[in-house]
């Protein structure tokens, strides 16, 4: 098994997670380089994870001939530029969601990817690599639950991380672009159909900051697909019990539910509060294994094992829907996708 | 404790359930009379439940001076007429949902009830009397979950009872009027607010009959309340695992979920299928205790203990929303309530 | 359906529960008389439940020709005397567990019952009438789990009721006779075999009073049956989360578990404590339906529908085992049943 | 972080798991050498996992000066010899359970370890490194559940793997030495006390082979600790629903339960079988993360971070208890530990 050498850009919270995973948990992969505008941070992580090269300039990193691929975990506004640079230097690309911050930019990214058919491009919808979601998808594809009727998907962050959430809020793109994109991806994936109509609503129930941002702290969207399948999403910023991502697929012959109780372990605690399951503290705890599997799969794609299921076009489609949800929320109108 | 004497009209599936409960499970109540257009059925149930009087004419029953009250479990189209007759004869009235089959008729019923302020009028939204729902409402009112953000409510019948469901379909009024009224009632109850906007969608996923009826076999509605609280309903005709009524109330400080796993007992079965919980076969099994508690409460109201929380106006409000959902589904438009 | 007229003796906590159930929840049964040594209590309950006759003398009650049957919920030490008196006056007998307070007295009770073959005698192991246990037994008898390997049964009272528990402790007969008899009954019922050897252990972990009583506040017993099936019991006085009675039957083809989470309703609460199920407060809340079903079944037996499955001999067998457990606990020895 | 170089002996099922983990999932560790008597197997795994050195002679491997440590996953009967050889060559040692196949050999191993106080010795009770068990232990040590009353621990293999189980049976040492040692370790760990008395029982319920081996296919042991805490173990060879390892710790202030439903993912399946959780197929799936964490911890110990909590003396203690359980089962007697 050839060692795949990867350079990673972005050392924020998720960027560091990916870097650490690439350095320590992904068999057959070496984290060969890291890049961030913060030179001190680059140096520190380079030391900690024993990374051969450190950069503050992305293009410089892309010029490193040792690298097979790059992982883009930079701010969303830079994704397209980074995809272009990396591909022009012949690197395979893993790009975190969202593909880009506007639909036009998404289309641009699509074009870049299309122009490099020999390079792997993979978009980071990590939920698809979670054991439970993989198992659910297998059952749906196998016809175990018949025809898909409704996909319901929730994304709730924990109140335990609200401070960071609020700090990030002005730069997040809002609930629909930041949180709902994952649920939109899942709804399309499980329903196997394009969205036709949607209506987004929401409100400011606890954190006034979101009103200033013309956003809600809790929002819902209902979607209607071309094939009549239905979708429902809920995104919330501050669940009392923890990080709660739940997806349900109701079919004509059965129903699948993932993480209705987002228990962080097999432990049950019986106390004066009843019989309790403690839940995931944050998304990093919830998705650790999925992030690792995602990168293992990326390496496999590079080795020629399998092909990316999530294309740049999916990234565009998801972003289009997310923007349309936002528009629906802002105008109060039910909207067709077009 | 004075014995409350009740006459019950309608001996269909639910009518018989109510009759049997009144005859055998409601302390301090006597099922003194029954009425149905089917004379043989009246005679059989009279014998079985040891009921003093049997009638085929409702007004005749209402003339019986022994009766304190009547329970109306007749076809929905007759509810208003039966409410009028009963109240004009001075009887307290328990009426099954829906209040009536049109909004106008509902308003008529409201007027009749208003004209008899000394008589108890109670509408049969039995879910409110279920132990789990009562406990949930207590917590919501107590502020345990903070401000209500979203009320999600599912009503799924079991595929095990699909034959009866299909037979009843043409007379049911459709998903929104037949099934969703319960969920609408719960959403208003828990959100503590009126509905402002709604969008209903759905499809025919398994049973073509519903297409002929201009209905769906599975439908969803998203609702927006005056106070920004959100609602989501799903109604399905044929769940593989059983009768599944689930309600979730997400608040700013916590979330309550009722019957996410509608297990019919405390039994877990570990087998080649995994660790399984068997579910309710039908709504009568699910709601038996609630139907009994409902009637106990009705008797209490008559005794002067407590006052009906569900008014005729609630019945009208629920029906208005249900009709609007149907209109939304049929026109494909998001609609304001007015 | 002939009305069965029952007189009930004992108006303590469970005695009152039975009286109330007989008066209000058991179709076709009338609570015709009550008896207790406390005349004021008799009068109060007579009024509250609208009972025709009240007595302070049990034999007087048994002389009442209207009565078909009596329910004996008196102190355990009086059971045999009361069974004798009732049967000699031709009354069917329901007797609460335990059959008697010594094995000799149990055998005496057996003889009395044997001398009145035309009268129904039923012993109050109410767990057998609980929906979950009935369903489990059906599956075991049906061979669904193959051959029974292990029956594990827990009985834990809630710490919420510890005050009453401690007050009652000196008169309870100890853990083995008071609590474990139910579990012993279940083990014999599910294993379908007699106990061969047993070892009882325990300790005083929280309540010193039990040391004075030569008892433990938490005890365990392991049992070996004639057919190689194994049993394990745990009895505890003060569980933090509520009243917890759990039974597991492990078979060669599957496993059944009853009330592993003794949730008192379908409500899940998501809060800072995680996702929690609130539990039964006490045994009366847990077993209400079983107590009612038990009495319905007793009435059916009297009507000739079905025959008591639990015989006086079962009562003796259970008591023998319970005494032997106590002896094992006190001597520290593993003991054969004989 | 210095890279720890490890040589691993034994490439059976678990040996391969450890080798693969060391090669791919343990940060800061290199699987530098492997050893097995099967030369072809050594070569194949060497290639697959890109291991620098391969051996068929353990002492040769121990002479490799690059190695910091060895992992012993050889047949249990060779453990002591391998520990001696490794330590005499100055290698840190990780040894799979059991420490040895007789109590005398265990004591010999203890002496070897004692003679090399500068070398890390760690025994492979991996359950202690599972997230749920770690969390439970933290709560117990923190006093969250008060004083420990009962530790119940189950180990059931899945019927899906019965063929391999039966093949391995003659060499396994029997239920008590093969399966129960894990549960014994957990009981001592959670109870924080030594075992005083025990009684082991069991039977042949499904697989006659075990009778020939003077063993049972399902066995139970009850234990009494010095501090009055109680223990109960159940070991079964063929659970219908999967690999089921469950541990419960009942304390005076609360109860902890680990993996009461050994669900292999967050997926719930609603179908005609009810609401089901699919379970772990085998122990490798169940304990994958714990095996990795265990090796990460071993590497940390070598780096001077933390000290082994499980000593050779624990290995001896567990084996003594396991042998005593076997003796109790064979003689039918309750036995003191001595």
């Amino acid at each position: 098994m050839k060692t795949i050498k990867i350079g990673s850009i972005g050392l924020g919270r998720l960027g560091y997670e990916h870097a650490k995973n690439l350095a320590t948990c992904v068999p057959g992969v070496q984290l060969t380089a890291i890049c961030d505008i913060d030179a001190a941070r680059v140096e520190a992580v380079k030391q900690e994870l024993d990374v051969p090269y450190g950069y503050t300039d992305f293009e410089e990193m892309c010029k490193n001939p040792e690298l097979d691929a790059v992982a883009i975990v930079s701010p969303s506004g830079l994704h397209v530029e980074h995809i272009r640079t990396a591909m022009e230097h012949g690197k395979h690309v893993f790009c975190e969601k969202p593909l880009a911050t506007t639909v036009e930019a998404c289309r641009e990214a699509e074009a870049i990817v299309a122009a490099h058919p020999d390079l792997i491009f993979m978009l980071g919808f990590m939920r698809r690599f979670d054991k439970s979601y993989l198992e659910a998808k297998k059952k749906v594809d196998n016809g175990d639950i018949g025809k898909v009727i409704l996909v319901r998907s929730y994304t709730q962050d924990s109140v335990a991380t609200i401070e960071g959430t609020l700090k990030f809020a002005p730069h997040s793109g809002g609930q629909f672009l930041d949180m709902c994109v994952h649920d939109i991806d899942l709804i399309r994936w499980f329903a196997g159909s394009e969205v036709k109509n949607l209506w987004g609503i929401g409100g400011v129930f606890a954190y006034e900051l979101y009103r200033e941002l013309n956003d809600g702290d809790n929002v819902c969207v209902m979607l209607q697909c071309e094939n009549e399948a239905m979708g429902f999403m809920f995104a919330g910023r501050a669940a009392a019990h923890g990080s709660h991502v739940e997806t349900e697929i109701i079919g004509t012959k059965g129903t699948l539910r993932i993480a209705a109780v987002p228990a962080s372990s097999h432990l049950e605690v019986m106390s004066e509060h009843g019989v309790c399951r403690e839940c995931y503290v944050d998304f990093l705890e919830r998705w650790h294994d999925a992030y690792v599997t995602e990168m293992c799969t990326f390496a496999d794609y590079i080795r020629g094992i399998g092909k990316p299921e999530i294309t740049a076009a999916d990234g565009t489609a998801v972003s289009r829907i997310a923007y349309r949800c936002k528009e629906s929320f802002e105008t109060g109108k039910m909207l067709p996708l077009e």
Side-chain angles (χ1 to χ4, degrees), chain A:
Chain A
M1 191 169 70
K2 178 187 172 290
T3 296
I4 307 291
K5 298 192 172 183
I6 299 183
S8 190
I9 176 159
L11 290 171
R13 199 158 178 227
L14 181 54
Y16 175 73
E17 166 84 4
H18 277 307
K20 196 172 173 187
N21 289 346
L22 288 166
T24 61
C25 310
V26 184
V29 162
Q30 188 196 40
L31 179 66
T32 304
I34 49 174
C35 179
D36 195 281
I37 50 167
D38 180 343
R41 179 89 178 121
V42 169
E43 194 49 37
V45 175
K46 192 168 169 292
Q47 292 263 343
E48 184 201 337
L49 301 177
D50 200 16
V51 186
Y53 304 95
Y55 300 89
T56 53
D57 180 287
F58 182 63
E59 185 153 20
E60 284 308 303
M61 183 168 82
C62 290
K63 286 179 183 165
N64 185 330
E66 287 186 38
L67 296 182
D68 298 297
V70 297
I72 299 173
V73 204
S74 52
S76 308
L78 302 173
H79 284 184
V80 180
E81 178 192 327
H82 287 160
I83 292 169
R84 187 193 317 274
T85 304
M87 289 199 144
E88 286 179 353
H89 285 84
K91 308 303 184 196
H92 301 291
V93 170
F94 167 89
C95 180
E96 252 307 318
K97 68 93 199 167
L99 181 53
T101 51
T102 65
V103 174
E104 294 65 39
C106 285
R107 295 223 162 94
E108 210 182 318
E110 269 192 77
I112 300 164
V113 171
H116 297 89
D118 295 342
L119 294 175
I120 296 297
F121 176 81
M122 177 175 177
L123 197 58
F125 285 122
M126 80 293 182
R127 291 186 191 174
R128 295 203 193 186
F129 297 94
D130 175 76
K131 191 180 184 182
S132 307
Y133 283 86
L134 284 169
E135 190 61 34
K137 179 64 170 158
K138 208 188 303 172
K139 286 183 193 289
V140 170
D141 288 351
N142 197 38
D144 292 4
I145 64 162
K147 202 173 162 184
V148 172
I149 293 169
L150 170 66
V151 183
R152 170 175 65 88
S153 201
Y154 280 16
T155 300
Q156 287 178 280
D157 281 340
S158 170
V159 72
T161 54
I162 189 66
E163 246 178 86
T165 301
L166 292 176
K167 206 178 295 174
F168 179 61
H171 319 291
S172 73
Q175 304 296 82
F176 302 100
L177 289 161
D178 182 35
M179 302 188 94
C180 294
V181 286
H182 286 293
D183 302 300
I184 295 170
D185 177 56
L186 294 175
I187 290 171
R188 290 179 75 242
W189 195 43
F190 284 120
S193 176
E194 291 303 320
V195 168
K196 193 167 64 179
N197 292 300
L198 56 83
W199 183 36
I201 57 176
V204 175
F205 296 85
Y207 302 95
E208 286 300 316
L209 170 65
Y210 289 96
R211 205 181 300 280
E212 297 165 26
L213 299 170
N214 202 18
D215 199 2
D217 52 17
N218 286 272
V219 303
C220 288
V221 181
M222 188 164 78
L223 310 103
Q224 190 175 32
C225 293
E226 299 284 357
N227 69 356
E228 283 202 324
M230 301 176 278
F232 178 70
M233 304 189 285
F234 168 66
R237 286 296 183 187
H241 59 292
S243 174
H244 185 143
V245 171
E246 172 180 354
T247 302
E248 178 182 40
I249 309 117
I250 299 180
T252 50
K253 291 185 185 161
T255 288
L256 303 174
R257 238 178 229 199
I258 300 160
V261 175
S264 57
S265 79
H266 282 299
L267 185 64
E268 272 173 308
V269 180
M270 303 188 185
S271 71
E272 67 273 24
H273 305 299
V275 179
C276 301
R277 300 297 299 266
E278 293 173 347
C279 297
Y280 291 112
V281 171
D282 60 22
F283 75 98
L284 291 178
E285 188 189 16
R286 170 63 183 95
W287 303 105
H288 174 76
D289 289 353
Y291 283 128
V292 172
T293 305
E294 181 179 60
M295 285 302 181
C296 293
T297 309
F298 179 49
D300 276 351
Y301 291 157
I302 294 173
R303 287 182 194 106
I305 304 163
K307 275 173 193 241
E309 196 188 28
I310 317 172
T311 65
D314 286 318
T316 306
V318 167
S319 288
R320 269 177 72 208
I321 296 167
Y323 269 103
R324 208 61 172 154
C325 290
K326 192 167 142 66
E327 190 184 339
S328 173
F329 167 76
E330 287 169 2
T331 61
K333 290 186 181 158
M334 187 268 277
L335 299 172
L337 185 53
E338 239 54 52

